[in-house]
Amino acid sequence: MSHATRFRADEVATARAAFDADGAAVVASGLAASLLELIRGEFVNGTRPGQRSFALPVAISDLLTPDGPVGKIASALMGQPSVPVRVLKFDKNASSNWAVPWHQDRTIAVAERVELPGFEIWSRKGGIDHVEPPEDFLRDMVALRLHLDDCGIDNGPLEIAAGSWSLGRIPSGAVSDAVQRHEIITCTAGVGEIVAMRGLTLHASQPARKVGHRRVLHVDYATRPLPAPLRFAMV
């Protein structure tokens, strides 16, 4: 097991090669402590593994746009403008200390259900319609996970199977074999660091052995619009 390569925000051009090879990288956000504290204020303690959010204060939303400091990292890693399309809030703590088995993120949140070829397996989460889009849409997405607390090896960090995003959509029965054939990279992160993960990357996490807060603002970015009239819920 190895650790994800770390980069400063001004080294993202260099990070792109490692990001494409592994499907993950750790980048310093450069956000001021006051902004990180503002984002922490959006978290509410609870027992659910995560909370979906489609309405953030303007001061936070501006950080995530393609011109914002977080959005610019997504665009630089993907080599093209990237737009935030979903925000999740995770807080692994004493009352909610979960494990996530190896899987791929394969659904997107949309404004409303519209039946189109290639968009299948509809579901409803948090009052929002979700669907699995064609594989190429998922491959061209990136998730940025902004850490609001230190996340060391004992805090249940993200683990990824290096390069697995290039395999495309993997049937559930083939996930274990795919994981076995790839190097496992552990994505520890300090406060203010961003763990970037390319779409369709196999990933998992274990329960924290050191119980405390592990607050993460998870933002999914897309590099292309959906075919009309289908729209992302957040755009």
Side-chain angles (χ1 to χ4, degrees):
M1 184 179 292
S2 59
H3 291 267
T5 309
R6 314 186 100 76
F7 300 90
R8 298 192 310 269
D10 60 355
E11 297 176 317
V12 175
T14 306
R16 189 175 174 194
F19 179 66
D20 282 343
D22 294 337
V26 179
V27 182
S29 69
L31 295 180
S34 58
L35 287 174
L36 295 175
E37 189 58 35
L38 178 65
I39 298 171
R40 288 189 194 100
E42 291 297 303
F43 284 70
V44 177
N45 290 336
T47 57
R48 292 185 298 166
Q51 298 174 332
R52 292 168 176 81
S53 179
F54 294 92
L56 292 169
V58 173
I60 297 176
S61 296
D62 285 349
L63 303 175
L64 312 181
T65 66
D67 293 327
V70 176
K72 284 181 178 179
I73 291 173
S75 297
L77 288 172
M78 297 302 289
Q80 53 189 310
S82 301
V83 177
V85 294
R86 181 172 63 173
V87 175
L88 303 173
K89 295 177 286 188
F90 297 115
D91 183 6
K92 192 174 284 190
N93 56 59
S95 61
S96 185
N97 187 16
W98 67 90
V100 179
W102 286 101
H103 71 288
Q104 296 172 304
D105 289 338
R106 290 163 48 162
T107 63
I108 58 173
V110 297
E112 61 181 344
R113 181 167 179 163
V114 179
E115 301 289 346
L116 289 178
F119 291 80
E120 304 172 341
I121 312 180
W122 288 87
S123 59
R124 188 93 172 158
K125 302 173 185 177
I128 302 294
D129 288 314
H130 287 68
V131 67
E132 287 195 17
E135 182 180 298
D136 56 340
F137 277 91
L138 296 170
R139 191 192 299 268
D140 290 340
M141 294 182 69
V142 59
L144 298 191
R145 297 165 59 94
L146 173 62
H147 281 260
L148 304 170
D149 302 287
D150 288 330
C151 180
I153 196 69
D154 291 330
N155 301 115
L158 184 76
E159 298 175 332
I160 65 111
S164 57
W165 69 271
S166 63
L167 299 177
R169 188 182 274 112
I170 302 170
S172 58
V175 166
S176 180
D177 179 63
V179 171
Q180 293 294 322
R181 291 186 287 106
H182 289 77
E183 178 187 10
I184 305 305
I185 292 178
T186 302
C187 302
T188 57
V191 172
E193 288 189 312
I194 290 173
V195 174
M197 180 176 69
R198 183 133 190 183
L200 287 177
T201 296
L202 281 168
H203 60 286
S205 72
Q206 300 301 316
R209 297 194 295 267
K210 181 180 179 181
V211 178
H213 283 293
R214 193 215 65 173
R215 286 166 291 192
V216 173
L217 188 72
H218 175 119
V219 187
D220 287 332
Y221 283 84
T223 59
R224 62 167 93 175
L226 295 172
L230 201 59
R231 294 179 295 114
F232 285 107
M234 192 172 170
V235 176

